[in-house]
Amino acid sequence: MELPFTSLLGIEMTGMDDGHATGELSLREELSSNPNTLIAHGGVTYSLADTVGGAAAVSVAETVTPTVDMRIDYLAPATGDVLFAEAEVVRFGGNVATVDIEVTDDDGTVLAVARGTYKTSGGSGQSPWTSSGE
Amino acid sequence: MELPFTSLLGIEMTGMDDGHATGELSLREELSSNPNTLIAHGGVTYSLADTVGGAAAVSVAETVTPTVDMRIDYLAPATGDVLFAEAEVVRFGGNVATVDIEVTDDDGTVLAVARGTYKTSGGSGQSPWTSSGE
Amino acid sequence: MELPFTSLLGIEMTGMDDGHATGELSLREELSSNPNTLIAHGGVTYSLADTVGGAAAVSVAETVTPTVDMRIDYLAPATGDVLFAEAEVVRFGGNVATVDIEVTDDDGTVLAVARGTYKTSGGSGQSPWTSSGE
Amino acid sequence: MELPFTSLLGIEMTGMDDGHATGELSLREELSSNPNTLIAHGGVTYSLADTVGGAAAVSVAETVTPTVDMRIDYLAPATGDVLFAEAEVVRFGGNVATVDIEVTDDDGTVLAVARGTYKTSGGSGQSPWTSSGE
């Protein structure tokens, strides 16, 4: 399934199984926050983290898992050629899952860490998310 | 100054003064998380929030203000034609600023709220961020 | 119902209705982070915020609403005589609610802002939270 | 140095060196969120995490390091006899540090994970935190 925004960014999923997921994207000028230097905009790093984190949640939930909330901490400038994300479900409950994500570059430098809460079920139906997902 | 990634998303800044900033983007298929319905990917909403939040910080700091960390909470699916973000600096200190951001659609529905910490000075020089910004 | 830890801190609930709650505590030496000055430890401010935020969620859910996650941002030192917290549910869904909390002192200075996700239902039963709450 | 609130909770620091810190507290009725069962209030778990996280930051900064912001995610009910926290500085910059904290019980169950941003220097002097710390 081709998803428009993840295709625009060039995110490729490389693994997704049993609460664990990995993905990557190649940094290119369009994704830079700076016209003079290649450095991923914080929103690019976030989008990769959120996408791979969601995949980890989906791998357990086997249904869409909209992001409820996410925190990202930037640890180093994202100047590498490729950004890698690895996500792990650290708690999976009937309502929500907690997922940890680490984004690294091709040198293994940790660029960012993120932690998010994802919905794991359709709930009681009164949520605006129910029929749409994110 | 044209910034590559914000241009790719189509983010337009519409105001930026004295700790306050506003910006917007038009939702289009490329920014969707779903091939069948127009619904902004969570990373699009986040990127708008982070960009407008950073502009609010810059309006006080008058220098680049890299994002240290950000939390976003999704409140409703982003299905409107236009996404608007409004940011306000709620604390500005010598090291960091705290910024609140609200993202709404053209009906005034609040789609997401975000809160971030941005660096406000070059610090002591030992930070990897010093020479680059985000 | 007397709750042990909120009693230890001296938290008093002053309102709780329809997605909104208020509470307060008097600052005293035992709650200080500093032996020489009266300044609330960050955990005191957090505990007040979490408790009042949970009450706002309970006022809609009408069942226990364990905290899933919470972020707090400290905006000013908590040196007033009394700390007030006001909480508002900004989204209430079948699985979780998002709640905003503001903590102020008796001068109206905003000391901290917090935002949390609370569980709103028992879910499917496989969660460790189900029978216990927080 | 005896700190009032950490003494009230019974937090004992057991290690603090080179960006790493550990601490613990014994759960007792006063710290419970529930009058019938011994389960640590979320504010107790948070206070332990924030305190040990701050110690990890101080171990590098060698000055007070007020908490700027913190997120905590609760993974399991805190019903053990003793709560242990372990903190690690994952980025240390001239302005702020990012610290990861894990709280476990005596069975090794992870009860909560937290991530916070701490100030690492006095900054330019215009911050309300400068002369007080948290």
Side-chain angles (χ1 to χ4, degrees):
Chain A
M1 182 175 58
E2 192 79 343
L3 301 175
F5 185 62
T6 51
S7 297
L8 180 67
L9 295 191
I11 294 174
E12 293 189 43
M13 293 306 303
T14 52
M16 176 179 167
D17 184 42
D18 197 23
H20 194 86
T22 52
E24 58 187 72
L25 67 75
S26 295
L27 190 50
R28 59 185 205 275
E29 199 183 328
E30 280 182 322
L31 306 183
S32 185
S33 65
N34 189 309
N36 306 311
T37 319
L38 207 55
I39 174 169
H41 187 281
V44 171
T45 309
Y46 174 91
S47 298
L48 176 62
D50 184 21
T51 300
V52 176
V58 165
S59 76
V60 182
E62 299 183 347
T63 179
V64 293
T65 57
T67 309
V68 173
D69 65 64
M70 169 88 70
R71 171 181 172 132
I72 185 165
D73 290 67
Y74 297 98
L75 305 187
T79 54
D81 291 325
V82 184
L83 273 58
F84 298 90
E86 184 161 0
E88 191 187 353
V89 174
V90 293
R91 190 181 89 87
F92 190 88
N95 287 19
V96 288
T98 305
V99 182
D100 266 354
I101 306 109
E102 191 174 78
V103 180
T104 51
D105 65 14
D106 27 338
D107 289 333
T109 302
V110 181
L111 307 178
V113 283
R115 181 169 290 147
T117 296
Y118 292 85
K119 225 168 82 109
T120 55
S121 76
S124 65
Q126 76 249 45
S127 159
W129 292 104
T130 304
S131 58
S132 52
E134 183 205 340
Chain B
M1 182 173 60
E2 192 79 343
L3 301 176
F5 185 62
T6 51
S7 297
L8 180 67
L9 294 191
I11 293 174
E12 292 190 42
M13 293 305 303
T14 52
M16 175 179 167
D17 184 40
D18 197 22
H20 194 87
T22 52
E24 58 188 72
L25 67 75
S26 295
L27 190 49
R28 58 185 205 275
E29 199 183 327
E30 280 182 322
L31 306 184
S32 186
S33 65
N34 190 309
N36 306 313
T37 318
L38 207 55
I39 175 168
H41 187 280
V44 171
T45 309
Y46 174 90
S47 298
L48 176 63
D50 184 21
T51 300
V52 175
V58 165
S59 76
V60 183
E62 300 184 345
T63 181
V64 294
T65 57
T67 309
V68 173
D69 65 63
M70 170 88 71
R71 171 182 172 131
I72 186 165
D73 288 69
Y74 297 97
L75 305 186
T79 54
D81 291 326
V82 184
L83 273 57
F84 298 90
E86 184 161 0
E88 192 188 352
V89 174
V90 295
R91 190 181 88 89
F92 189 89
N95 287 21
V96 287
T98 305
V99 181
D100 266 355
I101 306 110
E102 192 175 77
V103 180
T104 51
D105 66 13
D106 29 336
D107 289 332
T109 303
V110 181
L111 307 177
V113 283
R115 181 169 289 148
T117 295
Y118 292 85
K119 224 167 82 108
T120 56
S121 76
S124 65
Q126 76 249 43
S127 159
W129 292 105
T130 305
S131 58
S132 53
E134 181 205 339
Chain C
M1 181 174 59
E2 193 80 341
L3 302 175
F5 185 62
T6 51
S7 298
L8 180 68
L9 294 190
I11 295 175
E12 292 190 43
M13 293 305 303
T14 52
M16 176 179 166
D17 184 40
D18 197 23
H20 194 86
T22 52
E24 59 188 70
L25 67 77
S26 294
L27 190 50
R28 60 186 203 275
E29 199 184 326
E30 280 182 322
L31 306 183
S32 185
S33 65
N34 190 310
N36 306 311
T37 318
L38 208 54
I39 175 167
H41 187 281
V44 172
T45 309
Y46 174 91
S47 297
L48 176 63
D50 184 21
T51 300
V52 176
V58 164
S59 76
V60 183
E62 299 183 347
T63 180
V64 293
T65 57
T67 309
V68 173
D69 65 63
M70 169 88 70
R71 171 180 172 133
I72 186 165
D73 290 68
Y74 297 97
L75 305 186
T79 55
D81 291 326
V82 184
L83 272 58
F84 299 91
E86 184 162 0
E88 192 187 353
V89 174
V90 295
R91 189 181 88 87
F92 190 89
N95 287 20
V96 287
T98 305
V99 182
D100 266 354
I101 306 109
E102 190 174 78
V103 180
T104 51
D105 65 15
D106 28 336
D107 289 333
T109 303
V110 182
L111 307 178
V113 283
R115 180 168 290 147
T117 295
Y118 293 85
K119 225 167 83 107
T120 56
S121 76
S124 65
Q126 76 249 44
S127 160
W129 292 104
T130 304
S131 56
S132 54
E134 182 204 340
Chain D
M1 184 173 60
E2 192 80 340
L3 301 175
F5 185 61
T6 51
S7 297
L8 180 67
L9 294 190
I11 294 175
E12 292 189 44
M13 294 305 305
T14 51
M16 175 180 167
D17 184 41
D18 197 22
H20 194 86
T22 53
E24 59 187 72
L25 66 75
S26 294
L27 190 50
R28 59 185 203 275
E29 199 183 328
E30 281 182 321
L31 306 183
S32 185
S33 65
N34 190 310
N36 305 313
T37 319
L38 207 56
I39 174 168
H41 187 281
V44 171
T45 308
Y46 174 91
S47 298
L48 176 63
D50 184 21
T51 300
V52 176
V58 165
S59 77
V60 183
E62 300 184 346
T63 180
V64 293
T65 57
T67 309
V68 173
D69 64 63
M70 170 88 72
R71 170 181 172 132
I72 186 165
D73 290 67
Y74 297 97
L75 306 186
T79 54
D81 292 326
V82 184
L83 274 57
F84 297 91
E86 184 162 1
E88 192 187 354
V89 174
V90 294
R91 190 181 87 88
F92 190 88
N95 287 20
V96 288
T98 305
V99 181
D100 266 355
I101 306 108
E102 192 174 77
V103 181
T104 51
D105 65 14
D106 28 336
D107 289 332
T109 303
V110 182
L111 308 177
V113 283
R115 182 169 289 148
T117 296
Y118 293 85
K119 225 169 82 108
T120 55
S121 75
S124 65
Q126 77 250 43
S127 160
W129 292 104
T130 305
S131 57
S132 53
E134 181 207 338

